[in-house]
Structures are given as structure tokens and as C-alpha cells.
Amino acid sequence: MRLHPLAADGLIAAALTTVAVLLGTEAVAQGWPALGPLDWTLVALVCLPLALRTRAPVTVCLFSHGCWAVYIALGQWPVVGSFGPMLAVYTVASLCPTRVAAASAALLAGVWTGAGIVNDAAAMASVVGQAVGFPLVLWRFGYVARRTGELTRQLRAEQAERARREVAEERVRIARELHDVVAHHIAVINVQAGLARFVFHSDAPTARTALDAVEGASGEALAELRRMLGLLRADGVQGADGAPAPGLDQLDEMVTRVRTGGVGVALRVTGEPRPLPPGVQLCVYRVVQEALTNVLKHAPGAHAAVELAYRAGEVTVSVTDDGTGGAPREGVDSDTIRERGGHGLIGMRERAKLYGGTIVVGPRSEGGFGVRLTLPTPVQTARRGDAVRE
């Protein structure tokens, strides 16, 4: 369970106050005067403000040390109120620049030394050693915590930037592939329009059929073009090479290549096959490709199954493996089944989102790993936002 930082600081302040109260009740047994109302008030003022130590570290440090100094001047046992100022010095060292942290450590050393002078001048050597040692240790711990925090934030920023860049590059690569799909539709439109014009007066049925083909191809081309332009709005990325976009008719060839890499793959098609828009075919092909690549890389020798299911209003493809493969086989390169590299789950996610589909990726209860992609059909189905699940 993660607590809000303010709540965590409040609990720490309450714990330190409890420790100080328990020590205060032992003051008489240690040879010190019993604490009166003013002394207890000062103890509370030393510890309780630490609940705001991360909000105002310097102010809390100065206030805590001031109350502790007054408490010591009244002749009370200094140990009772020592934990609050020590935590305050650590907080300043972990959140503030080195110069401010050094000043807070010097303040702790000064008050500690003053406590020795006021109450026990005979043991000044020990007091001075503590006054030097404790602030230095707290300063060092605080400095390490501050540097660790800075490096952690820097690492997170770099990871976020790398993830953003990978997503952008993946989107541009997908957009280039969709460009091939749109170009195919435009070529069909050009041929059919020329045919319709040629037979417009002599063969009306043929002209009508050609115009119907133009209408269908133009509708699909416009849908693909909208998707492509949406992806190309990503800023600051570089494009990828252009190559013919593969489709579902090439699944058999890909499965054969995977088998040569040491993974037994079974391809099964259920339902009544029907023509799918090229963009949907490309999406299914790339997801299957990425899933089988992961099997080849992480579970060589395993048995995998690819199932393509045609259903009413949607097409579903699942890739599962039993995860029982042995060590990677020598000489097998997973890139042999990948014409162009993607970014794993990022590519799957972006493709599913692009076509308004869902994708589920993760380990299976019966063992192994599975990927399941569901895409709505036909291609004119409205985009439904980011419905990707992991």
C-alpha cells in the first residue's frame, strides 16, 4: 500500500513524538528533572512539525532546532528531543542544495555542543565527537538519497522519452505500410474508372460494375488514408522503408519459416473465410508475426498454435504456445521470420488501437503464453479509441 507523502510524514512525526514521550517518562530514572507542561509542549513542538518536513524542510529544521535549544536551556534531558532535529537535518540534506544542507548540519552540531556545555561539561570530548559524527552521517545519507532521487527521475524521463519515440516510430512504420494499401486502392480506382469510361456508351452493365468497384475501393482508400494521416501527425520521427504490404494469404509461408526455426506451429482457420480490407489483413499478419517471433526467441522448441476465426462482424486471431521449449538452437535467428522489425507489444497495441480492436497479451493458466487479437469488420467500422488491454 502506497501512502501519500504528507500522510507518511505525519505518521513519522507521530512515531517520533511517541518515542520522545516514552523517553521523557524515563528522565527521572536517568537522573534528570521531571518534565513539566512547558517541557512537554516544547517536546511536541520539536517533533510534530516534522509532518511538514518535505513541504518546508528548512523552516521545519530551524523551528525544530529552536524549540530543542529552548528545551535544553531549561535544563532538561537533551536526548528526549534529539530525534526530531536529526530527522530534520537529514530531510534538508536530501531535498536542498549542498550549501543549505551543510548549514543545517552545522546547526545541529552547534546545538548538540551547546547541550554538552550546559548540562555535562565533564564529558565534552564525547559530546564533541557526537556533535561532529552524527551531523556528518546524516548529511551523507541525505546527499545519497538526493542523488538517488535525481538519478531515478532522470532514468524515468529517459524511459518515457524512449517509449514515446518507439511509439512514434512504430506509428510511422505502420503508416508507411498503410500507404501501400491506399496506393493499391488508387490503382484499382484508376483501372476501373478507365474501363467505365471506355464502355460507358457500349456496355452499360460493365460500366455500372466498374463504377461500383470504384465506389467500394474509394471508400476503403479514404478510411485507410484517414488512419494514415492520423499516424503521420506524430512529430520528430523518421520514416521507414517501403515494401509490399503482406496479407493473410502469406500466413502459411510465415508459419513455414517459423517451423524451420525450431517451433512447431499449427495453423487453423475457422468460420467462413471472406475478403478483408488490406489494412485489417496487414494488422492481423503483423500481430501474428510478432507473436511467433517472441515464441521463437523466448521458447524455441515449443509448440505453438495460430487460430484465425471469422465471426459475424469481427475477425479474431490467437497465437498460443505451451512454453516447453528448450535452449535456443544454434544458428537460428529470429529475424528470419521478420521482414521488418517492430517494437513488440508496442506495435501490437498500436495496430489494435488503429483498427478499433482489442488485444490481450499474457501468460496462460495452463502454461505458456498467448496473444489474442479481435478486430471489427468491415473496415468502415468506426474507430473506438484505445481499447487495448494487457
Side-chain angles (χ1 to χ4, degrees), residues 137-150:
V137 171
L138 293 170
W139 183 12
R140 177 61 182 175
F141 282 174
Y143 172 79
V144 171
R146 180 163 61 89
R147 286 293 301 157
T148 301
E150 292 174 352

Side-chain angles (χ1 to χ4, degrees), residues 78-127:
V79 175
V80 174
S82 61
F83 296 102
M86 292 172 67
L87 179 60
V89 169
Y90 167 80
T91 303
V92 171
S94 64
L95 297 177
C96 300
T98 303
R99 183 174 300 179
V100 178
S104 67
L107 177 61
L108 175 61
V111 176
W112 201 296
T113 303
I117 295 174
V118 171
N119 297 297
D120 194 6
M124 279 305 297
S126 174
V127 171

Side-chain angles (χ1 to χ4, degrees), residues 170 290 294 338 342-349:
E170 182 70 15
E290 186 64 44
N294 290 335
R338 305 178 68 185
H343 295 291
L345 183 58
I346 292 178
M348 296 183 186
R349 180 187 299 115

Side-chain angles (χ1 to χ4, degrees), residues 20-365:
V21 170
L22 294 176
L23 288 173
T25 59
E26 297 291 327
V28 176
Q30 298 296 327
W32 294 86
L35 275 68
L38 178 59
D39 302 317
W40 287 117
T41 301
L42 289 172
V43 170
L45 291 176
V46 168
C47 298
L48 291 178
L50 292 171
L52 302 175
R53 65 190 183 94
T54 55
R55 297 289 183 89
V58 176
T59 302
V60 170
C61 183
L62 293 176
F63 185 81
S64 180
H65 277 81
C67 293
W68 188 38
V70 174
Y71 171 83
I72 293 172
L74 293 176
Q76 295 295 341
W77 190 19
V79 175
V80 174
S82 61
F83 296 102
M86 292 172 67
L87 179 60
V89 169
Y90 167 80
T91 303
V92 171
S94 64
L95 297 177
C96 300
T98 303
R99 183 174 300 179
V100 178
S104 67
L107 177 61
L108 175 61
V111 176
W112 201 296
T113 303
I117 295 174
V118 171
N119 297 297
D120 194 6
M124 279 305 297
S126 174
V127 171
V128 171
Q130 296 173 17
V132 173
F134 285 146
L136 285 178
V137 171
L138 293 170
W139 183 12
R140 177 61 182 175
F141 282 174
Y143 172 79
V144 171
R146 180 163 61 89
R147 286 293 301 157
T148 301
E150 292 174 352
L151 293 176
T152 300
R153 289 189 292 271
Q154 180 180 355
L155 177 60
R156 289 176 178 174
E158 291 176 354
Q159 290 175 340
E161 174 62 21
R162 183 166 58 251
R164 185 204 64 79
R165 186 169 57 251
E166 289 179 351
V167 169
E169 291 174 353
E170 182 70 15
R171 287 181 173 182
V172 168
R173 189 175 69 85
I174 296 171
R176 291 300 179 92
E177 292 176 343
L178 293 181
H179 171 270
D180 296 335
V181 175
V182 174
H184 166 76
H185 288 308
I186 297 301
V188 171
I189 292 173
N190 181 64
V191 172
Q192 295 295 336
L195 174 62
R197 186 171 63 86
F198 183 76
V199 300
F200 186 78
H201 297 289
S202 60
D203 191 347
T206 301
R208 186 178 298 107
T209 301
L211 292 176
D212 290 340
V214 168
E215 180 183 10
S218 61
E220 291 185 2
L222 287 174
E224 298 290 351
L225 186 59
R226 282 193 295 268
R227 290 189 173 93
M228 182 180 67
L229 293 178
L231 289 176
L232 287 176
R233 287 171 182 162
D235 296 328
V237 295
Q238 296 178 352
D241 57 341
L248 297 182
D249 57 340
Q250 299 182 31
L251 282 181
D252 284 328
E253 180 183 348
M254 178 171 57
V255 167
T256 301
R257 290 199 300 269
V258 175
R259 291 194 185 110
T260 62
V263 176
V265 184
L267 176 61
R268 179 186 177 193
V269 179
T270 61
E272 184 66 26
R274 61 181 182 273
L276 293 177
V280 174
Q281 294 192 47
L282 177 62
C283 178
V284 173
Y285 181 91
R286 290 303 189 197
V287 169
V288 173
Q289 182 185 54
E290 186 64 44
L292 290 179
T293 298
N294 290 335
V295 175
L296 185 60
K297 291 172 61 178
H298 303 296
H303 296 280
V306 179
E307 181 176 355
L308 178 64
Y310 293 90
R311 297 190 175 94
E314 66 181 22
V315 60
T316 301
V317 63
S318 63
V319 182
T320 58
D321 68 85
D322 54 20
T324 59
R329 294 173 55 180
E330 295 182 0
V332 175
D333 183 2
S334 61
D335 290 336
T336 58
I337 68 166
R338 305 178 68 185
E339 289 83 355
R340 279 165 287 182
H343 295 291
L345 183 58
I346 292 178
M348 296 183 186
R349 180 187 299 115
E350 290 302 314
R351 291 181 185 280
K353 181 171 65 174
L354 176 64
Y355 287 95
T358 59
I359 186 168
V360 181
V361 182
R364 304 164 62 209
S365 58

